[in-house]
Amino acid sequence: MAEERGFFDEAGLDVRIDVASSFTNALAAVISRSADFSLHGPEWTAISAARGGEVQVIGGTLNRLGAWIACTNEVTYEGLDDLKGLRIVSGTMPTTSTSAFLNLIGKAGLDPSSDITLIEVPLGNEIGPLAAGQADCAVLYEPNASQAIDEGYKVVASFAEELEPYTFSAVSTRKDTRPGHCGKVPDGHQQGARLHS
């Protein structure tokens, strides 16, 4: 949207948007200097920086976590503590949905290593164990949350409601990127986001 409406041009940026097949490829393009900026979860930039990568997050683009917990109809749910003793399927770590889920249940007083059984699967495959009876609940992104509803499961919790504002996706760049450009890219995204609101 920001590119289509010329917000980057107005900021004096000559932007070409390429689609990477994954967050790791997007960040690798920045590190290798084939791209100046990447858009993905901030945790990947933090992991790279912790391993010596000269990268940084310069701004958030989505500050609510779009993930949900869906359960079988047999599950009685009034709050996160009702997940005690249940089998929960979620994306393989490290991923934001699972790390946020573990944080949430910890705040609810549950020990993730003993109070639940966490089943980790590749992202997008969470409904399979639920449908096979191997899990009681699933932590889902869209479109899987809608698919779960269509298949008769109930959504019991929304991370956007359970969590304070949370940087779900962010713009990352190298630490040596010109400071003048660093503020312009998130600003362009923000202008585009306002059109969607």
Side-chain angles (χ1 to χ4, degrees):
M1 177 70 73
E3 181 186 33
E4 289 175 17
R5 296 294 177 100
F7 297 140
F8 294 131
D9 291 336
E10 289 173 14
L13 295 174
D14 180 19
V15 173
R16 184 189 84 229
I17 296 178
D18 294 324
V19 177
S21 60
S22 69
F23 48 82
T24 53
N25 289 343
L27 189 56
V30 169
I31 292 167
S32 70
R33 298 181 180 280
S34 62
D36 294 313
F37 301 94
S38 58
L39 177 63
H40 45 75
E43 68 275 13
W44 300 106
T45 304
I47 290 168
S48 179
R51 293 179 178 166
E54 292 294 313
V55 291
Q56 62 185 344
V57 170
I58 59 168
T61 59
L62 181 58
N63 294 314
R64 286 287 183 187
L65 183 50
W68 293 264
I69 301 172
C71 298
T72 64
N73 289 308
E74 293 76 28
V75 171
T76 300
Y77 183 92
E78 293 182 14
L80 290 163
D81 56 337
D82 289 326
L83 299 176
K84 185 172 185 170
L86 298 183
R87 300 164 299 164
I88 315 294
V89 62
S90 193
T92 303
M93 285 288 279
T95 188
T96 305
S97 58
T98 303
S99 59
F101 170 71
L102 294 173
N103 178 279
L104 282 173
I105 64 169
K107 287 182 178 178
L110 299 180
D111 180 344
S113 62
S114 61
D115 288 334
I116 64 162
T117 300
L118 182 65
I119 304 164
E120 295 183 60
V121 298
L123 282 174
N125 293 290
E126 298 88 352
I127 293 178
L130 197 60
Q134 298 168 343
D136 304 297
C137 299
V139 177
L140 304 167
Y141 289 123
E142 284 292 6
N144 292 354
S146 293
Q147 180 184 344
I149 293 168
D150 291 346
E151 292 182 17
Y153 300 104
K154 60 183 179 183
V155 171
V156 298
S158 163
F159 284 38
E161 294 173 7
E162 297 285 345
L163 292 169
E164 296 294 319
Y166 181 96
T167 303
F168 180 58
S169 65
V171 178
S172 296
T173 191
R174 291 178 306 280
K175 289 183 178 179
D176 64 357
T177 300
R178 288 191 351 211
H181 287 161
C182 289
K184 293 178 182 179
V185 173
D187 288 349
H189 278 285
Q190 184 62 34
Q191 286 180 294
R194 283 190 196 110
L195 293 176
H196 273 288
S197 313

